[in-house]
Amino acid sequence: MTDTLTGPRADLTGLTVEQKAALTSGESFWRTKAVGDIPSVMLTDGPHGLRKQREGGDHLGIGDSVPATCFPPAVALGSSWDAELAERIGTALGVESSIEDVAVILGPGINIKRSPLCGRNFEYLSEDPIVSGVLGAGIVRGIQSQGVGASLKHFAANNQEDDRMRSSSDVDPRPLREIYLRGFQRVVEDAQPHTVMCSYNRINGVFASENCWLLTDVLRGEWGFDGLVVSDWGAVSDRVAALRAGLDLEMPGNGGQSDAEVVAALAEGRLDEALLDASAQRNADLAVRWAATPRVEGPLDVDAHHELAREAAARSIVLLKNDGAEPLLPLAADRSLAVIGAFAEKPRYQGAGSSMIHPTRLDDALTAIRAVAPDAVYAAGFSLAADAPEDETARLRDEAVEAAAAADVAVVFAGLPARLESEGYDREDIDLPADQLALIDAVVAANPRTVVVLSNGAVVALPFAERVPAIVEAWLLGQAGGSATADVLFGAVNPSGKLTETIPLRLEDTPAFLNFPGEEGHVRYGEGLFVGYRWYDARRMAVAFPFGHGLSYTSFSYGDATAAVTGSGDVEVRVTVTNTGDRAGREIVQVYTSLADSSVQRPVRELKGFASVELAAGESREVVITVRRSDLAYWDIRAERWVVEGGEYTVEVGASSRDLRSRTTVSVDGDELRLPLTRESSLGEVMAHPVAGPMVRSALAGMAQMMEGASAIMPEGVSMEKMMNSFPIGRVGMMAGGQVTTEMIDGLLAAANAQQG
């Protein structure tokens, strides 16, 4: 791997162990320590905007922050499926960080959306690791193009807020590698973030901050990570164990208490000084390189960044539904409109917790709509207060119904109040508030020409989906979301966003329903590989809207796809896409693969690549998507490595996991996998072995005759050979009447393994 942390390196010659220990923990809530010639640097919150605390703020670092651009949170940005856009936003984050003298911005967050109940899902990109990895790498590249470090988080298997600082995520090796680590691996190998932030939780019983396998063996040894590992704030339980495991920087500062623990461990021989030296060097290098990096000169171009936020928000909106011979959307400016719902006037544009941004400005949808349709009537429809009196609720609903009945079209802004989703706790259900559901029902009864616009940081159930002709999933869109929503509603922007998470019909249908949030400090990832669409598609389960779904104001057709293996071993997929509508639009083309008769359990299909194409009305273009050979690999638990299984892969190309437009196949050569044979190897495995099979067949010829005799007394159609396939070869002696001894078997296995090696 290349070293992306370019620039001068720090000289630690002459530093005492006390000084080196000091380099590996914070000075304060946001800053590292200055030691000798090594300067202090600031790390501060992201990930969708800079949350830098004002000077003189509270010591906990949760007070007011300087104004910054609030870009669309990851829940929205993921739906853009646009790595180039993600990189541009990352660049803007890097610019704002550099102007504010911030060395590391804490983001992006790319944890998998295992359950829709996770209170922090608004900070994460997808239920799929390929989407998370590709977009996450784009964000990191953008941030670091400005000399600012990114901090990839939360590493790893941090998929809930409940008991997040103690709970153990108990995950089997295959899903851990193929689902929960794969996105992190993609970002590390493609973009080399300057830092990786360890999560609070345990992983299979071991704190992430103390997990040598995770932080050293996998992150550094396998993936080639060359930056530093920083703790989430307060994630370190045992500083010495964490340092030994590969954690380089404990945050926030604790007055030097844990530094003293490190020094004591060195004196007592419980810690290798070379480990401290390595961590101190990484921290010092980051500091001196940041000191040598030219800063972006301010002031910030607030208008330009706001326009980027608006563009990103519009591209992130998902048109879920737009039914009818004459669809309601886009809205006509000359139609009378009733704008209903408190979120139209008081936008819900970001989540609560450490990522809350103090925006440079804030657009609301009502103002933006009235800029196009000045006569639009507004009714709040519901109160944002948690304990609104029943008479007030009824009055607001009645006012909304009256406004809807008098209008050509009603647009209802519904969603989740901030109190229902936040860092620190999980949601209890996936329902919209009851007063909002009652409002939607009443408005639709008064005016069937109703559009519902959603503001939410995680998916919600949509019991009204069959009755409402148009639904817009507007997520949390950042500070320019109000204008962006109006852009899409009136057709100034043709919607192109697609879901990066499945919208289920019921919470009970979700993969982790019976294993969330766990109990007694453990959460069992019992759904295994079957996360998100992998679960629903494997069970052929009805959903409200599938992974990858999203409509446009135009339409697209797909030609016949082709797939071929390239010289590098990747699979190149080609398909011609045509805009068959009457306006320009953007389509996200998705590639899914599967392997029939695989030797291991696999999902029905898995996303392996995607690309977007912008087409004028009537235009056709060939789209080329490269599926990396490494992304076809599964994690072999016997060999403990990635293995590409050979065979005829089915390649499906389409507009969602359930809207597959073209299918082809491609033959992929498999990796050679030679596992040593042991006494516990089954007869079937031994017989199928290219080296051992012929040797053992010859040696066991007498036993084969015995098996033929036994077959003669078995019922017709029952295969003795099949019955014996799973029998451990080390135990065949008991079936062979003394003809085969343990010594003979050991000799055969040794010879076979020697010849194989």
Side-chain angles (χ1 to χ4, degrees):
M1 302 300 298
T2 58
D3 179 5
T4 60
L5 295 175
T6 55
R9 299 198 69 199
D11 183 3
L12 303 188
T13 303
L15 290 188
T16 66
V17 292
E18 288 82 2
Q19 288 175 310
K20 288 185 285 188
L23 285 171
T24 62
S25 70
E27 172 64 33
S28 60
F29 206 85
W30 298 117
R31 301 198 69 92
T32 63
K33 295 188 185 76
V35 175
D37 295 332
I38 300 162
S40 168
V41 299
M42 173 174 278
L43 303 85
T44 199
D45 277 325
H48 53 268
L50 181 67
R51 196 182 77 86
K52 178 185 177 183
Q53 187 182 18
R54 290 183 187 273
E55 293 294 331
D58 64 283
H59 72 285
L60 292 178
I62 58 176
D64 191 17
S65 57
V66 300
T69 309
C70 182
F71 292 99
V75 63
L77 184 61
S79 291
S80 75
W81 296 66
D82 191 332
E84 185 271 337
L85 177 64
E87 185 166 344
R88 288 166 59 202
I89 290 176
T91 300
L93 293 172
V95 166
E96 297 195 22
S97 298
S98 182
I99 289 173
E100 291 290 343
D101 199 28
V102 170
V104 176
I105 183 170
L106 305 179
I110 66 164
N111 293 92
I112 292 295
K113 299 185 182 188
R114 174 177 177 250
S115 167
L117 295 179
C118 177
R120 210 168 182 177
N121 273 355
F122 59 83
E123 281 193 40
Y124 302 139
L125 291 161
S126 179
E127 66 188 21
D128 182 87
I130 300 297
V131 177
S132 296
V134 171
L135 296 186
I139 296 170
V140 169
R141 281 193 295 268
I143 291 171
Q144 297 188 169
S145 71
Q146 303 304 303
V148 175
S151 191
L152 186 65
K153 64 182 188 180
H154 302 88
F155 192 56
N158 178 196
N159 310 103
Q160 64 187 59
E161 293 298 283
D162 184 86
D163 202 19
R164 64 175 177 162
M165 300 191 75
R166 302 179 304 171
S167 180
S168 175
S169 299
D170 296 340
V171 198
D172 290 339
R174 279 194 65 198
L176 181 58
R177 290 284 192 159
E178 295 180 33
I179 303 295
Y180 298 101
L181 296 184
R182 196 167 215 151
F184 285 97
Q185 182 175 358
R186 180 70 166 252
V187 178
V188 168
E189 293 182 343
D190 283 11
Q192 276 292 341
H194 291 182
T195 78
V196 168
M197 180 193 289
C198 83
S199 55
Y200 289 120
N201 55 289
R202 292 178 169 94
I203 300 165
N204 293 324
V206 181
F207 277 116
S209 62
E210 301 171 15
N211 198 314
C212 185
W213 172 83
L214 183 72
L215 303 183
T216 297
D217 297 348
V218 174
L219 180 61
R220 295 193 187 282
E222 295 181 22
W223 302 350
F225 177 63
D226 61 4
L228 68 87
V229 178
V230 60
S231 74
D232 203 342
W233 268 231
V236 175
S237 174
D238 183 327
R239 173 76 182 283
V240 174
L243 189 60
R244 192 183 294 122
L247 184 105
D248 300 305
L249 176 61
E250 178 190 26
M251 291 297 290
N254 56 29
Q257 296 178 56
S258 59
D259 295 347
E261 294 171 5
V262 170
V263 172
L266 287 169
E268 296 164 7
R270 293 184 289 110
L271 180 66
D272 185 346
E273 189 171 349
L275 295 176
L276 174 61
D277 289 346
S279 287
Q281 187 72 58
R282 293 184 192 113
N283 283 285
D285 287 348
L286 179 73
V288 299
R289 285 164 174 164
W290 173 244
T293 299
R295 304 295 188 267
V296 176
E297 293 187 8
L300 172 66
D301 190 338
V302 172
D303 292 340
H305 280 208
H306 185 78
E307 284 306 306
L308 175 59
R310 181 172 179 170
E311 176 191 350
R315 185 159 286 192
S316 301
I317 290 172
V318 181
L319 179 59
L320 294 179
K321 185 179 181 183
N322 195 26
D323 286 354
E326 295 184 7
L328 289 184
L329 297 176
L331 297 173
D334 58 356
R335 291 281 182 89
S336 63
L337 297 178
V339 179
I340 296 167
F343 290 123
E345 184 182 26
K346 299 176 180 177
R348 172 99 198 286
Y349 62 99
Q350 63 176 325
S354 63
S355 66
M356 284 193 68
I357 307 302
H358 180 197
T360 57
R361 65 180 62 168
L362 181 60
D363 296 351
D364 67 86
L366 179 60
T367 300
I369 288 171
R370 282 178 168 165
V372 181
D375 296 328
V377 175
Y378 170 68
F382 58 87
S383 172
L384 292 176
D387 53 356
E390 290 186 13
D391 58 344
E392 180 185 0
T393 299
R395 177 182 60 80
L396 292 173
R397 186 183 308 138
D398 290 344
E399 291 174 354
V401 168
E402 182 179 355
D408 290 334
V409 178
V411 182
V412 180
F413 284 78
L416 296 176
R419 65 181 182 274
L420 294 184
E421 51 183 356
S422 170
E423 177 183 355
Y425 57 88
D426 295 320
R427 292 196 290 164
E428 297 178 359
D429 55 51
I430 60 170
D431 299 327
L432 289 171
D435 60 339
Q436 294 188 38
L437 291 174
L439 171 69
I440 292 170
D441 288 343
V443 169
V444 172
N447 187 343
R449 295 174 60 78
T450 294
V451 180
V452 172
V453 180
L454 299 168
S455 297
N456 47 300
V459 296
V460 293
L462 305 173
F464 50 82
E466 294 299 320
R467 291 175 281 112
V468 174
I471 304 174
V472 175
E473 178 53 271
W475 303 118
L476 307 180
L477 291 174
Q479 68 180 51
S483 295
T485 300
D487 290 340
V488 168
L489 289 176
F490 288 102
V493 171
N494 191 349
S496 61
K498 290 181 181 282
L499 297 175
T500 57
E501 53 189 305
T502 308
I503 301 180
L505 291 171
R506 311 178 306 156
L507 177 62
E508 290 83 357
D509 294 339
T510 58
F513 177 68
L514 295 177
N515 291 286
F516 187 98
E519 58 189 14
E520 298 177 351
H522 288 266
V523 53
R524 175 67 184 152
Y525 284 44
E527 67 279 5
L529 297 169
F530 296 90
V531 178
Y533 69 91
R534 292 168 170 83
W535 168 269
Y536 300 106
D537 290 354
R539 301 190 71 202
R540 300 180 182 178
M541 182 180 290
V543 299
F545 295 99
F547 176 86
H549 171 76
L551 303 178
S552 170
Y553 295 150
T554 189
S555 55
F556 302 94
S557 66
Y558 288 62
D560 293 332
T562 63
V565 177
T566 67
S568 64
D570 297 334
V571 175
E572 188 176 82
V573 181
R574 294 176 176 268
V575 65
T576 297
V577 180
T578 301
N579 183 340
T580 55
D582 59 3
R583 67 172 65 200
R586 173 176 173 266
E587 174 70 335
I588 297 164
V589 183
Q590 302 158 47
V591 172
Y592 298 84
T593 68
S594 58
L595 180 62
D597 302 321
S598 173
S599 63
V600 295
Q601 184 184 54
R602 290 177 183 261
V604 173
R605 65 184 59 87
E606 294 185 279
L607 182 82
K608 294 300 179 186
F610 59 90
S612 65
V613 56
E614 295 190 33
L615 299 170
E619 183 183 4
S620 297
R621 189 177 303 168
E622 185 179 59
V623 179
V624 181
I625 299 173
T626 298
V627 175
R628 297 184 181 184
R629 177 178 173 85
S630 59
D631 286 335
L632 295 176
Y634 74 93
W635 183 259
D636 192 289
I637 62 174
R638 303 162 301 171
E640 295 188 333
R641 67 177 177 87
W642 292 103
V643 173
V644 175
E645 191 174 9
E648 195 80 3
Y649 283 75
T650 298
V651 178
E652 297 174 294
V653 182
S656 82
S657 75
R658 295 194 175 180
D659 183 7
L660 302 166
R661 308 290 185 87
S662 183
R663 176 181 297 186
T664 187
T665 60
V666 63
S667 181
V668 176
D669 292 335
D671 293 334
E672 187 175 13
L673 179 63
R674 293 183 176 181
L675 298 171
L677 296 173
T678 70
R679 291 185 185 180
E680 292 303 309
S681 299
S682 71
L683 274 175
E685 291 168 342
V686 173
M687 294 301 187
H689 195 277
V691 176
M695 298 171 63
V696 174
R697 281 193 190 91
S698 174
L700 299 182
M703 183 179 173
Q705 294 172 4
M706 181 204 70
M707 289 175 63
E708 289 177 7
S711 297
I713 61 173
M714 298 295 289
E716 183 178 354
V718 175
S719 169
M720 187 67 176
E721 182 178 350
K722 286 185 177 180
M723 290 179 64
M724 294 296 294
N725 263 350
S726 61
F727 202 88
I729 191 171
R731 305 177 205 175
V732 300
M734 62 179 283
M735 303 290 291
Q739 298 179 48
V740 178
T741 66
T742 301
E743 290 74 16
M744 293 171 59
I745 292 171
D746 287 345
L748 287 168
L749 295 176
N753 288 331
Q755 186 171 338
Q756 173 180 286

